[in-house]
């Protein structure tokens, strides 16, 4: 595969799509979540910190346009020649407001020089028709990616982590996006290591996600247990066992083997601030984890989607 990886990497995809390396610029646009503010629940997801998923954003309190330039200045220290950017509205639920508010906040960043697209982190219960109409407008101006948080396909797990939406709603929302915003790309988010989920359940989460939904990309996260989260109680009371690196590598490889080759792998691990992380501490060695995954895929002789190809071959031989 491209880049000598065993799977379809985001870096390779963006290089092909935009012709060069492209930054995702994370932004905190000041949105909340419906399971935090009482719209559907209170307290938020039990794994979520007070700053949402953007704990590493450089200047989350700054105005949106200022955040954008602070982020790219920081990134340019390592990659000074990058000139194309995707504005990534990351923290909390970035479509959880009236469309007029959403439009105002997005437009503060997406018209800056070099911006070629927008990535929107959101939930399936926060995409009314008027918001989808605005996103459809945006697809005529730039590349649009809707990153839909799912985390699990199991209702019992969803209740346990206070997700406050069903898997059926997720499936229905993907269909609505496909119909109303056909040019947008859809990326599904799943978390490995949620309380009570076995290896087999984590693999099944991916199977359902790629089978039931017409998606373009997937993000596979390791559960990071963070300070100041409701999930700390589960951990201290013995209801949560943190994954070992060996367990995580095995489940990721099993998941990659059943993901169709055309689906872009946006992430197979995650980042967490050291000073907020309770565990697993091995996850801080990101490149070690990525290398271990690639080493295991090569040891198996596996590539993304290879188990699907084997099944297709077996099915064809019996017909």
């Amino acid at each position: 595969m491209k880049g000598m990886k065993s799977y379809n990497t985001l870096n390779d995809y963006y290089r092909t799509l935009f012709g060069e390396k492209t930054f995702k610029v994370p932004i905190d646009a000041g949105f909340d979540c419906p399971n935090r503010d009482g719209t559907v629940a209170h307290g938020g997801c039990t794994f979520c910190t007070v700053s949402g998923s953007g704990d590493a954003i450089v200047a989350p309190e700054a105005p949106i346009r200022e955040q954008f330039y602070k982020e790219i200045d920081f990134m340019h220290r390592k990659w000074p020649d990058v000139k194309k950017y995707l504005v990534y509205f990351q923290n909390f639920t970035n479509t959880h407001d009236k469309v007029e508010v959403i439009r105002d906040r997005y437009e503060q960043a997406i018209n800056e020089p070099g911006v070629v697209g927008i990535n929107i982190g959101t939930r399936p219960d926060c995409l009314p028709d008027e918001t989808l109409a605005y996103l459809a407008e945006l697809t005529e101006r730039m590349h649009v990616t809707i990153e839909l948080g799912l985390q699990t396909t199991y209702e019992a797990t969803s209740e346990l982590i206070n997700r406050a939406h069903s898997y059926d709603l997720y499936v229905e929302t993907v269909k609505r996006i496909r119909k109303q915003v056909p040019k947008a790309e859809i990326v599904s988010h799943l978390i490995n290591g949620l309380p009570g989920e076995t290896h087999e359940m984590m693999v099944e989460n991916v199977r359902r996600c790629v089978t039931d939904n017409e998606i373009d990309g997937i993000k596979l996260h390791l559960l990071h247990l963070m300070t100041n989260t409701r999930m700390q109680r589960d951990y201290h009371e013995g209801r949560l066992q943190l994954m070992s690196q060996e367990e995580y590598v095995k489940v990721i490889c099993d998941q990659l083997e059943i993901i169709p080759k055309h689906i872009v792998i946006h992430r197979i691990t995650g980042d967490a601030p050291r000073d907020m992380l309770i565990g697993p501490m091995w996850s801080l060695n990101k490149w070690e984890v990525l290398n271990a995954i690639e080493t295991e895929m090569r040891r198996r002789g596996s590539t993304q989607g290879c188990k699907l190809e084997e099944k297709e071959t077996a099915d064809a031989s019996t017909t």
Side-chain angles (χ1 to χ4, degrees):
M1 302 184 88
K2 291 182 179 179
M4 301 300 291
K5 289 285 188 183
S6 301
Y7 52 91
N8 188 7
T9 71
L10 182 64
N11 184 56
D12 285 337
Y13 175 65
Y14 280 163
R15 284 185 180 275
T16 300
L17 184 64
F18 300 115
E20 58 192 87
K21 186 173 181 63
T22 305
F23 282 157
K24 281 181 73 175
V25 184
I27 296 291
D28 183 345
F31 293 102
D32 205 337
C33 281
N35 64 342
R36 282 168 42 97
D37 65 9
T39 304
V40 295
H42 291 279
C45 296
T46 61
F47 56 79
C48 197
T49 68
V50 293
S51 38
S53 58
D55 296 300
I57 289 178
V58 173
E61 303 300 326
I64 291 172
R65 186 172 182 273
E66 184 178 333
Q67 284 187 54
F68 175 81
Y69 281 102
K70 284 182 179 291
E71 287 288 342
I72 63 173
D73 286 347
F74 179 77
M75 293 173 176
H76 282 157
R77 297 175 194 174
K78 187 173 182 180
W79 296 284
D81 298 326
V82 173
K83 300 181 180 64
K84 291 184 179 180
Y85 314 104
L86 295 156
V87 179
Y88 179 22
F89 287 94
Q90 180 179 16
N91 279 31
F92 298 120
T93 304
N94 293 275
T95 57
H96 183 44
D97 215 317
K98 296 177 181 178
V99 70
E100 296 79 13
V101 175
I102 295 167
R103 182 189 298 270
D104 175 69
R105 295 182 189 178
Y106 287 9
E107 299 289 337
Q108 291 179 51
I110 62 177
N111 296 307
E112 295 303 312
V115 172
V116 294
I118 180 174
N119 286 48
I120 302 155
T122 188
R123 292 164 49 102
D125 53 0
C126 292
L127 287 164
D129 289 345
E130 57 269 24
T131 298
L132 291 181
Y134 170 55
L135 299 186
E137 290 177 29
L138 286 180
T139 62
E140 301 301 324
R141 296 162 52 188
M142 62 184 61
H143 188 263
V144 174
T145 302
I146 301 171
E147 300 197 12
L148 271 181
L150 173 57
Q151 320 316 351
T152 180
T153 65
Y154 290 92
E155 302 303 336
T157 309
S158 186
E159 281 190 31
L160 188 63
I161 64 175
N162 197 42
R163 191 65 193 162
H165 69 72
S166 68
Y167 178 54
D168 286 344
L169 176 63
Y170 190 91
V171 173
E172 180 59 33
T173 300
V174 171
K175 291 177 181 176
R176 289 179 55 241
I177 296 170
R178 278 285 169 236
K179 181 178 180 180
Q180 297 180 52
V181 199
K183 293 183 180 180
E185 294 195 353
I186 302 173
V187 177
S188 292
H189 291 215
L190 289 169
I191 296 178
N192 288 321
L194 290 171
E197 293 207 345
T198 63
H199 178 103
E200 291 74 21
M201 292 170 73
M202 295 177 221
V203 174
E204 179 65 7
N205 278 329
V206 167
R207 190 201 66 76
R208 291 175 180 174
C209 191
V210 300
T211 301
D212 300 345
N213 302 280
E214 188 183 345
I215 61 173
D216 304 285
I218 194 166
K219 274 189 174 180
L220 301 171
H221 292 263
L222 167 67
L223 174 68
H224 289 120
L225 181 61
M226 308 287 280
T227 58
N228 301 317
T229 61
R230 297 168 67 192
M231 192 169 279
Q232 278 182 272
R233 183 186 303 173
D234 294 324
Y235 179 65
H236 292 306
E237 295 180 358
R239 291 188 296 274
L240 171 65
Q241 300 295 318
L242 299 179
M243 298 185 77
S244 70
Q245 181 171 315
E246 293 73 21
E247 289 170 330
Y248 188 72
V249 168
K250 186 174 188 301
V251 78
I252 284 288
C253 292
D254 288 351
Q255 289 170 331
L256 288 173
E257 288 177 343
I258 62 169
I259 297 174
K261 289 186 182 295
H262 72 274
I263 291 179
V264 179
I265 309 301
H266 282 238
R267 176 166 284 183
I268 54 173
T269 182
D271 300 292
R274 181 181 293 271
D275 62 344
M276 297 179 66
L277 182 66
I278 297 173
M281 299 310 291
W282 55 261
S283 67
L284 293 169
N285 301 314
K286 182 176 179 179
W287 285 106
E288 180 180 310
V289 178
L290 293 173
N291 289 337
I293 292 168
E294 185 60 31
T295 297
E296 175 62 13
M297 291 292 282
R298 291 175 185 270
R299 186 194 68 79
R300 298 181 180 194
S302 293
T303 57
Q304 179 180 333
C306 64
K307 288 293 177 68
L308 298 178
E309 294 174 347
E310 291 174 9
K311 184 177 185 304
E312 289 171 0
T313 300
D315 290 344
S317 67
T318 59
T319 58

